[in-house]
């Protein structure tokens, strides 16, 4: 009886170790051949986003491959290519050679920002070729399979798999560098349905403040035109110039913080309006794959990524961010509209009046041969409390140990 019980204990502890998550930066730090690849994952903030997913396959490039590709390319271009090398599914060397019917399409992190790009741009074609080779290429029609699996690097079963390929996957148009110049910030905002916000930035002069930090990093939370029509939003024409400036500065950060970074954030976030510790800051929480910003008065959800081109990221948000420093508690918190299950929300979103809590976002993805789920279902997220699961598993293991002791 002791042997089966011991096996059960060890299996529980093994599972418990995996639910604690992983840190891709620490994993790759053990492999000097991928130091350049690892460095770029950190510089582009992709490492933080990778760590937020429960299941990932990373197609890693060694230092020689990175040197021939990255060179003098803009960081925003490097990020796009590396995000295309991040598959939101688990493939170890064995499963790569056992693909049903020999070929499949896998969704990648790049699909999250592909927008109205060509069909399948955010997907990778994986094909098990004759002779034992596995090839990778863009899923866009007419693309070549010119990247090949070379070796296994590291696997944490059904959590993360790192395998090496010999060359980057270059999808059509992916090397084009969007220019995040200060001149087109207002144009991008207007096209995204944030004309009121863009007009206020230009008229108040705060746009120049945004421009002054753009080289070091800029994150913008732009309320939609509809957000300014909400009943609890103060009339901008009745604000003093100083308060208007503070309000607009409160909608931006002086550093690059893409969605993945916000999802993993657990600290208060300083804004351009912050002048000292604890004032004009934001807190964040997650609801599935959604990120919610909390001001102390109301909550606002990230709706759409207008631009993510390192070091600039612009989001639209569904509510105007109202700092307590300007508006106190005179305004009732605006409820965050609940998303339908089809849009990937968890059954209950956190109440804006409750302290924010961070949950580990998870995505549900399945291998499909010659099939392709639409981007929403492929990226559907399920919130899972890993610490609670870890505690439960350890408790079960402890009980099993006591039972083992009692048998002797």
């Amino acid at each position: 009886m002791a042997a089966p019980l011991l096996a059960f204990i060890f299996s529980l502890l093994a599972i418990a170790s995996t639910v604690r998550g992983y840190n891709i930066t620490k994993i790759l730090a053990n492999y000097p051949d991928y130091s350049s690849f690892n460095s770029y994952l950190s510089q582009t903030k992709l490492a933080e986003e990778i760590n937020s997913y429960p299941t990932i396959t990373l197609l890693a490039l060694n230092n020689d491959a990175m040197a021939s590709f990255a060179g003098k390319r803009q960081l925003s271009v490097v990020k796009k290519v590396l995000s295309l090398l991040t598959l939101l599914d688990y493939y170890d060397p064995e499963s790569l050679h056992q693909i049903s019917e020999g070929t499949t399409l896998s969704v990648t992190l790049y699909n999250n920002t592909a927008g109205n790009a060509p069909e399948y741009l955010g997907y990778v074609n994986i094909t098990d070729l004759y002779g034992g080779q596995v090839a990778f290429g863009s899923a866009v029609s007419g693309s070549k399979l010119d990247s090949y699996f070379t070796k296994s690097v590291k696997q944490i079963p059904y959590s993360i798999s790192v395998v090496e390929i010999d060359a980057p996957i270059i999808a059509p148009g992916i090397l084009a560098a969007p220019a995040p110049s200060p001149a087109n910030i207002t144009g991008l905002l207007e096209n995204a349905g944030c004309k009121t916000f863009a007009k206020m930035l230009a008229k108040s002069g705060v746009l120049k403040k945004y421009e002054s930090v753009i080289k070091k990093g800029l994150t913008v939370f732009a309320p939609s035109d509809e957000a300014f029509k909400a009943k609890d939003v103060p009339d901008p024409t009745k604000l003093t110039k100083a308060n208007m400036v503070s309000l607009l500065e409160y909608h931006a950060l002086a550093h690059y913080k893409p969605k993945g970074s916000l999802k993993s954030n657990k600290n208060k976030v300083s804004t351009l309006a912050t002048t000292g510790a604890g004032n004009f800051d934001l807190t964040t929480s997650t609801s599935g794959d959604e990120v919610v910003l909390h001001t102390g008065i109301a909550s606002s959800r990230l709706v759409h990524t207008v631009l993510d081109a390192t070091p600039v990221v612009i989001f639209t948000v569904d509510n105007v961010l109202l700092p307590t420093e300007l508006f106190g508690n005179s305004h009732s918190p605006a409820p965050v509209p609940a998303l339908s299950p089809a849009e990937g929300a968890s059954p209950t979103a956190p109440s804006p009046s409750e302290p924010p809590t961070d949950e580990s976002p998870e995505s549900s993805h399945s291998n499909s041969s010659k099939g392709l789920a639409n981007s929403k279902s492929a990226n559907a997220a399920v919130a899972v409390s890993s610490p609670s699961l870890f505690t439960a598993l350890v408790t079960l293991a402890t009980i099993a140990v006591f039972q083992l002791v009692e048998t002797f």
Side-chain angles (χ1 to χ4, degrees), residues 286-289 344-348 358-363 380-386:
T286 58
S287 176
D289 193 45
S346 56
T348 57
D358 288 306
E359 301 171 351
S360 300
E362 296 198 4
S363 294
V382 180
V384 174
S385 177
S386 294

Side-chain angles (χ1 to χ4, degrees), residues 85-108:
L85 301 183
T86 308
L87 313 182
L88 304 187
D89 212 334
Y90 183 84
Y91 294 97
D92 55 21
E94 183 179 1
S95 60
L96 286 175
H97 288 94
Q98 295 178 350
I99 294 174
S100 177
E101 298 186 35
T103 187
T104 189
L105 301 182
S106 180
V107 65
T108 72

Side-chain angles (χ1 to χ4, degrees), residues 144-305:
K144 297 180 179 179
L145 295 171
D146 49 10
S147 298
Y148 295 89
F149 165 78
T150 52
K151 65 179 180 180
S152 170
V153 179
K154 172 72 175 180
Q155 279 80 41
I156 300 176
Y158 308 107
S159 182
I160 183 169
S161 175
V162 182
V163 298
E164 181 187 285
I165 60 175
D166 63 354
I169 299 170
I170 307 299
I174 200 170
L175 298 182
S181 68
N184 67 6
I185 289 180
T186 53
L188 289 169
L189 292 175
E190 290 174 355
N191 291 335
C194 303
K195 293 181 180 179
T196 302
F197 185 65
K199 184 177 180 180
M200 291 168 65
L201 286 177
K203 186 175 181 180
S204 65
V206 174
L207 181 61
K208 293 182 179 180
K209 181 69 173 288
Y210 284 20
E211 294 172 359
S212 69
V213 302
I214 199 170
K215 290 184 179 180
K216 293 184 178 180
L218 175 68
T219 301
V220 179
F221 305 115
S224 64
D225 291 337
E226 290 300 316
F228 280 100
K229 298 177 182 179
K231 293 181 180 180
D232 60 345
V233 175
D235 184 349
T237 62
K238 296 182 180 180
L239 295 177
T240 65
K241 182 176 181 180
N243 285 352
M244 173 66 78
V245 168
S246 295
L247 177 63
L248 296 175
E249 290 180 346
Y250 189 60
H251 285 75
L253 316 178
H255 49 276
Y256 174 64
K257 209 164 182 68
K259 188 176 180 180
S261 297
L262 292 169
K263 284 167 64 177
S264 61
N265 176 67
K266 299 184 184 302
N267 303 311
K268 291 184 177 180
V269 180
S270 297
T271 67
L272 281 180
T274 299
T275 56
N279 72 349
F280 286 101
D281 53 27
L282 295 166
T283 56
T284 62
S285 68
T286 58
S287 176
D289 193 45
E290 298 295 328
V291 175
V292 183
L293 306 175
H294 302 269
T295 70
I297 292 179
S299 299
S300 186
R301 181 183 284 112
L302 300 190
V303 177
H304 177 65
T305 302

Side-chain angles (χ1 to χ4, degrees), residues 15 36 121 188 225 330 380 396:
I15 295 172
S36 178
L121 183 63
L188 289 169
D225 291 337
S330 59
L396 286 173

Side-chain angles (χ1 to χ4, degrees), residues 36-66:
S36 178
F37 185 79
N38 197 16
S39 175
Y40 275 108
L41 288 180
S42 296
Q43 291 179 58
T44 59
K45 304 292 186 180
L46 275 174
E48 296 176 8
E49 188 159 4
I50 289 171
N51 292 338
S52 74
Y53 281 85
T55 306
I56 285 286
T57 297
L58 196 60
L59 307 179
L61 300 172
N62 63 28
N63 292 337
D64 289 339
M66 283 301 299

